[in-house]
Amino acid sequence: MSSTTEYLSLLHRPRRLRRTSSLRRMVRETQLTVNDLIYPVFVMEGENQQQEIPSMPEIYRYTLDLLLKEIADAANLGINAIALFPLIPTEKKDNAGTESYNPDGLVQHTIKAIKQEIPEMTVITDVALDPFSSYGHDGIVKDGKILNDETVEVLVKQAISQAEAGADIVAPSDMMDGRIGAIRQGLDAAGYFEVGILAYSAKYASAYYGPFRDALESAPQFGDKQTYQMNPANSREAIKEVALDIAEGADIVMVKPALAYLDIIGRIKEYTNLPVAAYNVSGEYAMVKAAAEQGWIDEKQVILETLTSMKRAGADLILTYFAKQVALMLR
């Protein structure tokens, strides 16, 4: 058989559909859009201040006045939602996280201001005690252990307080057992039927969270979080956690972190028809920024490839510190 005959005998040539940029766009299977993005932001007390987080280049803690400008910029880029995280002064922290449900607290005041100034922005609030805890843990501590049910009682108060302030979605990130059902019941009993719950359903005890804990000064003061966050080696357990959260009333389920857990995102996407969120966490952000700073990677292309992989795996929504940068690129 001649080489020409061999050449002509190829019926299937996948490269035909890669030949031009227009063809590649036509057959693209995954489209990353600005509507997929949720922008995590950090707020602190004071006025006219912003502090760059050393381990997260170009990401800042803002006082409320400057945060409102940052969120307005995000809205102008087409970003629909922010996830709010507070830096709480040490003197306002205690073991029971009582500041978390203070109606005049930093979070509550910030929610009200955002909804007044940028009402179209969806506000997602973190429900957990670690920013408010003197121990840096997600729950109440007693004799070196994290109390589950007692913590859930506080989380319900926290979620209701955030809903009263105007939060659109509350996002329990604590990984206490039963908290989704308790929060749903508490919100409904208080009349907040329309406030949604984004459940951190499969949140792993990950080493990727370090820069975030720097941002909030909320690292655990003893031990680690392995008694309530998931073992990174486990996959089936993620389905169990998701099933429980759905049964208890979650509206959206989430996997955190994202990049090292694409398989988990895919499994959960196949399991449920609820929206699936993924958190492109601080450590993932920091690695890209550090490599780009050294000139080792093409930052923009790596960001787009990374977020596209998360959506390809099954994420409907992506919390990412790259949100504004990506919104600009997608334009």
Side-chain angles (χ1 to χ4, degrees):
M1 184 179 292
S2 69
S3 60
T4 302
T5 304
E6 290 176 357
Y7 179 78
L8 294 174
S9 69
L10 274 176
L11 296 178
H12 299 287
R13 293 182 179 272
R15 287 184 59 189
R16 292 181 189 126
L17 298 181
R18 302 176 195 145
R19 188 170 53 86
T20 67
S21 59
S22 59
L23 279 168
R24 291 193 295 273
R25 287 194 299 270
M26 286 171 60
V27 298
R28 183 182 177 100
E29 297 177 23
T30 305
Q31 299 286 345
L32 182 69
T33 77
V34 71
N35 293 325
D36 304 324
L37 307 176
I38 297 171
Y39 183 28
V41 296
F42 301 107
V43 66
M44 63 181 183
E45 293 186 349
E47 293 182 6
N48 196 33
Q49 296 179 54
Q50 65 180 49
Q51 300 173 348
E52 186 172 23
I53 300 159
S55 53
M56 299 177 70
E58 301 172 35
I59 298 297
Y60 297 85
R61 308 180 191 102
Y62 296 97
T63 54
L64 177 55
D65 51 346
L66 298 186
L67 180 65
L68 292 174
K69 295 178 181 178
E70 178 70 4
I71 293 173
D73 287 345
N76 289 333
L77 290 171
I79 294 170
N80 296 309
I82 60 100
L84 181 64
F85 298 95
L87 174 66
I88 302 301
T90 302
E91 63 270 17
K92 294 186 178 180
K93 297 182 179 184
D94 59 32
N95 185 29
T98 53
E99 181 66 15
S100 68
Y101 54 90
N102 177 1
D104 299 314
L106 175 62
V107 170
Q108 291 76 3
H109 183 54
T110 301
I111 297 167
K112 292 174 184 176
I114 296 170
K115 298 308 291 186
Q116 181 175 347
E117 296 293 326
I118 313 143
E120 70 276 13
M121 181 62 70
T122 296
V123 176
I124 302 171
T125 50
D126 182 51
V127 178
L129 297 193
D130 51 330
F132 306 90
S133 167
S134 50
Y135 288 103
H137 274 284
D138 290 58
I140 297 170
V141 177
K142 184 177 181 180
D143 299 329
K145 296 182 179 179
I146 313 303
L147 303 181
N148 191 93
D149 297 6
E150 293 85 345
T151 296
V152 170
E153 292 180 12
V154 179
L155 298 175
V156 173
K157 294 178 183 179
Q158 183 181 9
I160 293 172
S161 177
Q162 294 171 351
E164 288 174 347
D168 299 291
I169 296 173
V170 296
S173 65
D174 57 286
M175 289 299 285
M176 297 297 118
D177 294 337
R179 89 275 203 212
I180 301 301
I183 289 170
R184 182 72 271 162
Q185 292 175 20
L187 290 171
D188 289 353
Y192 298 108
F193 303 100
E194 295 184 351
V195 173
I197 298 178
L198 188 167
Y200 285 62
S201 299
K203 182 177 181 180
Y204 286 84
S206 172
Y208 283 93
Y209 302 149
F212 178 91
R213 292 171 183 167
D214 293 343
L216 297 187
E217 299 176 359
S218 62
Q221 298 302 301
F222 69 91
D224 52 39
K225 300 191 176 186
Q226 294 186 57
T227 65
Y228 46 100
Q229 295 178 355
M230 286 179 54
N231 187 333
N234 291 359
S235 174
R236 295 191 304 272
E237 186 183 11
I239 301 301
K240 177 182 179 180
E241 289 282 4
V242 166
L244 288 169
D245 286 354
I246 293 172
E248 292 176 22
D251 299 288
I252 304 170
V253 294
M254 185 157 71
V255 177
K256 181 182 181 183
L259 189 57
Y261 297 85
L262 298 181
D263 60 321
I264 306 301
I265 296 170
R267 287 198 66 177
I268 291 172
K269 183 66 173 180
E270 291 179 0
Y271 176 79
T272 180
N273 56 13
L274 287 186
V276 177
Y279 202 139
N280 177 212
V281 298
S282 59
E284 297 165 7
Y285 175 91
M287 289 192 302
V288 172
K289 286 293 184 179
E293 175 70 22
Q294 295 296 321
W296 295 337
I297 60 172
D298 181 324
E299 180 178 343
K300 291 183 178 180
Q301 291 304 313
V302 168
I303 291 169
L304 290 174
E305 184 177 342
T306 299
L307 297 192
T308 298
S309 76
M310 295 169 189
K311 188 166 184 186
R312 185 188 66 236
D316 301 291
L317 301 166
I318 303 171
L319 286 81
T320 179
Y321 303 98
F322 293 118
K324 286 181 65 182
Q325 194 172 348
V326 171
L328 283 168
M329 285 190 262
L330 294 177
R331 277 191 165 183

